[in-house]
Amino acid sequence: MAAVIKQKLGATYSQKMLGFAVVGAILVTVLVAFLFESNLSQSVLDDVSSQLNHQTSEIEGFTQRQAVQYADNLKFLHATPPISGIPRAIEAGGIDPKGKDDFALWKKRLEIIFIAFLENNEEVDQLRVISVEDNGQELVRVERDGIKIAAVESVELQKKSERDYYQESAKLSRNQLYMSGISLNKEYGKVEFPYKPVNRLSLPIFRENGERFGFIIMNVNTAVALRGMQQFVSPNQQLYLTDDEGYFIYHPEKSFSFSKELSPEVTWHTEFSSPLYEGARLLINRADGKKSEIYIASRRVIVSSSPRPMFIYVHLALPAKTIANLMNERRLEVYGFLFAMSLLFAAVLLVFHRSAKKSFELAEARGESAAIVAGSSDAIVSIDTKGIVKSWNMAAERLFRLPSSTILGHHYSAFASISSIFWDKYLNSEVARTGYFQDEILFKQTSGIESCLAVTVSPIWGDHGQYSGVAVVLRDITKERNTQRAIEKNNLELEEKVQSRTKQLAEARDEAQEASQVKSAFISRAC
C-alpha cells in the first residue's frame, strides 16, 4: 500500500512538473517576444544603417577610382609631344624651332591623338587645349556628337574666359590638377539639350621659359559613372547625389536632377528635414508637399583635393514603409521559429506526457500487483533464467522461514531449506513453451512438519518478448488434503457399515421368507 501511495504521489508530482514546464515555456516565449519587439525597431535600423553605409562606401570607392582613372588619362595626354610643341610654335611665330614643324601640323597631330583617345574612352566627350591669352581662346577641340567624333574647325572655336572652370584652371600651378563639380554641359552660354552631365579635369601648360600658356581640359560624361553607381543600389533603395551646397546632382525624380541649373529652388534643405551631413538618420521627406518618413545614410566623397577640395554627398535612402516591411519579415521569421519550436516543445511534452502517463499507469499496476502479491496468502516467488530469486513475498517468508532480505538476489540452490522444491524443473523450457504448469509436492519444513503444497508455474516475459524466468505460486493445501482424506475415510467406513447392514437385512428377509413358507405348508396340511 505504501508503494502504491508513493507512486501516486510521484505521478501527481510529475503532472505538476509538467504543468510548471508548460507555464515556464509560455512565460519564456512571452519574454522572448517582448524582448524581441522592444529591440526590433533598433535592430532593423542598425542593420539597415550598416547595409546603407557599406553601400555608400562602395560607391565612394567606385567614384574615387573613376576620378583617379580620369586624372591618369589626362596626365597621359598632357605628356604627349604636341602639348609642348604647340606653345613653342606659337611663341616662335608659327614654326617650332626644335623640329621645324609649324603650328598647324602640331595641331593636326594633337587632334589625331584626341580623336583616338575618344574612340577608346566612351565616357570622355570632349578634349581641348585653351590658351590663357585672347580671352581664353580654344586652340584645339575634339568632341563627340552622338557616334561621331571629330575635331572642331577653327572658326567654331570659342572663347571661355567667362566660365568658372577657365578661371580655376588659369590659376593652376605646374602639375596641379583641377577637377570641377558635376554640371550640365553648356554651349554658347546655354545648357545643351539633351542634357549632358559633365565634370571637367584640367592640367596647366607652361612654356619652356616657365610662362603660363594655357591648359588641357577633359570633359567627362558623368552619365556613365552615374549608371555605374546604380550597381551598388539595391531594389527599394533610392540614390541621391548632392553638391556641397545641397543642390541635387542626381535625384530619383528625374526632373529634380541637376537642380542648380534646372530647378534652383529645389535643394536638399527644401526636400528633407535635416541639414546636410554624413551619417544615417530617419528623416521627413517633404517632396511634392507630402510628408513621409525615409531613412537615409549620407557619405561625403572627396573626388579632388586641388586646388581646393572637391566633394559630393552620396545619399542612399530607404522608405520607412520598406523598413516596416523588413520588420514584419523579421517578425515572421522569429515568430515562425518560435511557433515551430513551440510545436516541437508541445510534441515533446505530449510524448513525455503520454510516456509518463503510461509509466505511471504501469507503475500503479505494478504497485497494485506488488501489493496484491505482498498481501497474498499464497507464497509467490519469481526466479530468473539464471536461478536468481527476484521476488519473495511475505507468505513465502512464513512458509519457508526465510526473510526476503536474505534470499533476494541469490541463487535458490544456496538455501538448503528450499532445496526439496523442484526449481530446476520449473525453469525448464517446457514452461516457456506451454505457458503453464501445475504440480503438487510434499515439503518438509525445518520443524519436521510435512506440508502438502500445490504449485502453479507461469513464464515471465521480458520487455522485448524474451523468456526471462518464472513466477511460482505455492499454496499450502495440507488442511485440504487432510480433510479430504478424513472425508474419504468416513465415506469408506460408512460404506462398510451400509454393506454390513444390508447383509443383515438380507439375511433377516431370507429367514422371514423361510418362516412364511413353513407356516403356509402347515396350514395346508391342517386343512
Side-chain angles (χ1 to χ4, degrees):
M1 181 62 71
V4 173
I5 294 174
K6 183 177 180 181
Q7 288 162 355
K8 287 184 176 180
L9 289 175
T12 303
Y13 175 75
S14 297
Q15 289 174 350
K16 287 184 178 179
M17 291 302 295
L18 181 62
F20 288 149
V22 172
V23 173
I26 293 173
L27 290 177
V28 169
T29 303
V30 171
L31 179 61
V32 169
F34 173 77
L35 293 175
F36 170 74
E37 285 292 338
S38 61
N39 293 285
L40 176 60
S41 178
Q42 190 59 47
S43 174
V44 171
L45 287 179
D46 288 345
D47 290 347
V48 168
S49 176
S50 176
Q51 180 183 2
L52 294 180
N53 284 329
H54 174 70
Q55 290 172 274
T56 57
S57 176
E58 289 184 322
I59 293 174
E60 177 183 26
F62 172 79
T63 303
Q64 291 178 339
R65 288 192 300 272
Q66 293 292 104
V68 169
Q69 179 183 341
Y70 300 152
D72 289 344
N73 289 338
L74 187 61
K75 291 175 182 178
F76 165 76
L77 294 171
H78 185 273
T80 58
I83 295 298
S84 57
I86 288 175
R88 289 197 304 269
I90 291 177
E91 186 178 7
I95 303 296
D96 183 5
K98 283 190 175 182
K100 304 303 180 182
D101 296 327
D102 62 8
F103 168 76
L105 183 58
W106 277 123
K107 179 181 177 183
K108 186 62 177 178
R109 289 174 179 171
L110 187 59
E111 288 174 346
I112 292 172
I113 293 172
F114 282 178
I115 290 172
F117 185 85
L118 263 64
E119 288 175 346
N120 290 278
N121 294 271
E122 65 173 355
E123 69 274 21
V124 178
D125 275 349
Q126 193 177 86
L127 285 169
R128 292 174 289 172
V129 172
I130 299 178
S131 171
V132 295
E133 299 173 356
D134 195 14
N135 293 322
Q137 178 63 46
E138 294 177 334
L139 300 178
V140 179
R141 176 176 168 186
V142 174
E143 62 185 11
R144 185 191 308 272
D145 184 9
I147 61 173
K148 181 183 177 182
I149 299 173
V152 175
E153 296 294 334
S154 298
V155 294
E156 296 183 12
L157 296 177
Q158 304 174 34
K159 300 180 187 295
K160 297 293 185 179
S161 61
E162 300 299 323
R163 300 297 302 273
D164 54 353
Y165 62 82
Y166 171 87
Q167 295 169 12
E168 293 290 342
S169 299
K171 297 183 293 185
L172 294 174
S173 302
R174 189 180 295 273
N175 297 324
Q176 188 178 24
L177 176 73
Y178 164 76
M179 179 179 290
S180 73
I182 301 174
S183 60
L184 295 178
N185 191 47
K186 292 182 179 179
E187 292 295 340
Y188 301 103
K190 295 182 179 180
V191 174
E192 183 182 9
F193 188 84
Y195 300 132
K196 184 185 295 183
V198 297
N199 75 322
R200 300 169 179 86
L201 294 86
S202 65
L203 278 170
I205 302 173
F206 288 87
R207 294 187 174 95
E208 293 182 352
N209 61 8
E211 293 182 359
R212 186 182 302 277
F213 171 76
F215 52 89
I216 178 175
I217 185 165
M218 173 193 292
N219 285 20
V220 178
N221 186 343
T222 57
V224 176
L226 292 175
R227 287 196 299 270
M229 292 181 185
Q230 292 292 336
Q231 65 182 305
F232 304 104
V233 181
S234 302
N236 298 323
Q237 295 178 351
Q238 298 171 339
L239 174 66
Y240 297 84
L241 297 177
T242 61
D243 61 18
D244 54 352
E245 296 179 290
Y247 289 105
F248 288 107
I249 299 170
Y250 181 83
H251 193 289
E253 184 66 39
K254 290 185 178 181
S255 60
F256 291 166
S257 295
F258 308 105
S259 62
K260 189 172 186 177
E261 293 92 346
L262 302 179
S263 303
E265 72 282 0
V266 178
T267 67
W268 173 270
H269 310 289
T270 62
E271 187 91 352
F272 298 105
S273 60
S274 171
L276 192 63
Y277 65 88
E278 286 189 291
R281 65 276 197 201
L282 189 65
L283 304 179
I284 301 297
N285 187 351
R286 298 187 292 239
D288 299 328
K290 299 178 182 178
K291 293 184 178 181
S292 61
E293 288 188 333
I294 188 169
Y295 195 82
I296 290 183
S298 303
R299 183 177 294 271
R300 189 186 188 198
V301 179
I302 297 176
V303 293
S304 176
S305 58
S306 64
R308 60 183 179 84
M310 178 62 62
F311 58 87
I312 61 173
Y313 280 97
V314 176
H315 314 272
L316 268 183
L318 201 62
K321 184 182 295 185
T322 302
I323 294 178
N325 291 336
L326 291 175
M327 293 172 64
N328 289 333
E329 289 176 5
R330 190 163 297 184
R331 281 193 182 95
L332 287 176
E333 292 176 0
V334 173
Y335 289 147
F337 175 76
L338 287 177
F339 180 70
M341 293 302 296
S342 299
L343 288 180
L344 179 61
F345 182 71
V348 171
L349 282 182
L350 182 60
V351 171
F352 172 78
H353 177 67
R354 289 182 176 177
S355 176
K357 185 177 180 181
K358 289 182 179 179
S359 297
F360 296 147
E361 291 174 351
L362 180 59
E364 186 176 6
R366 286 177 176 173
E368 292 176 354
S369 176
I372 293 171
V373 169
S376 173
S377 59
D378 297 336
I380 301 176
V381 179
S382 65
I383 303 173
D384 66 14
T385 55
K386 296 180 181 179
I388 304 300
V389 178
K390 293 298 184 180
S391 65
W392 190 267
N393 71 346
M394 294 175 63
E397 292 181 355
R398 292 192 298 269
L399 178 62
F400 299 113
R401 301 293 191 271
L402 277 174
S404 60
S405 58
T406 301
I407 194 170
L408 287 177
H410 297 85
H411 198 278
Y412 61 81
S413 62
F415 301 90
S417 60
I418 60 172
S419 59
S420 60
I421 308 291
F422 307 130
W423 304 110
D424 290 336
K425 179 180 178 182
Y426 303 151
L427 279 170
N428 65 19
S429 58
E430 182 180 353
V431 174
R433 185 174 65 254
T434 60
Y436 189 73
F437 179 79
Q438 284 187 322
D439 196 8
E440 191 172 307
I441 62 173
L442 292 177
F443 172 70
K444 191 172 185 179
Q445 299 182 12
T446 55
S447 61
I449 299 174
E450 191 173 67
S451 302
C452 182
L453 301 178
V455 182
T456 302
V457 184
S458 301
I460 298 175
W461 305 102
D463 294 336
H464 302 290
Q466 77 280 12
Y467 174 58
S468 61
V470 292
V472 183
V473 180
L474 303 103
R475 175 178 295 178
D476 188 351
I477 58 172
T478 304
K479 291 182 180 180
E480 288 87 339
R481 288 294 178 261
N482 289 339
T483 301
Q484 183 179 358
R485 282 194 292 270
I487 292 173
E488 290 176 352
K489 182 179 179 181
N490 290 335
N491 289 340
L492 182 61
E493 290 176 352
L494 180 60
E495 186 176 353
E496 289 177 352
K497 289 179 180 180
V498 170
Q499 289 178 355
S500 176
R501 182 61 178 165
T502 301
K503 182 178 180 183
Q504 290 174 2
L505 291 173
E507 290 176 351
R509 184 193 64 197
D510 291 343
E511 289 177 359
Q513 287 179 350
E514 184 178 354
S516 176
Q517 290 175 357
V518 171
K519 183 179 178 180
S520 297
F522 175 76
I523 295 174
S524 297
R525 285 195 299 267
C527 294

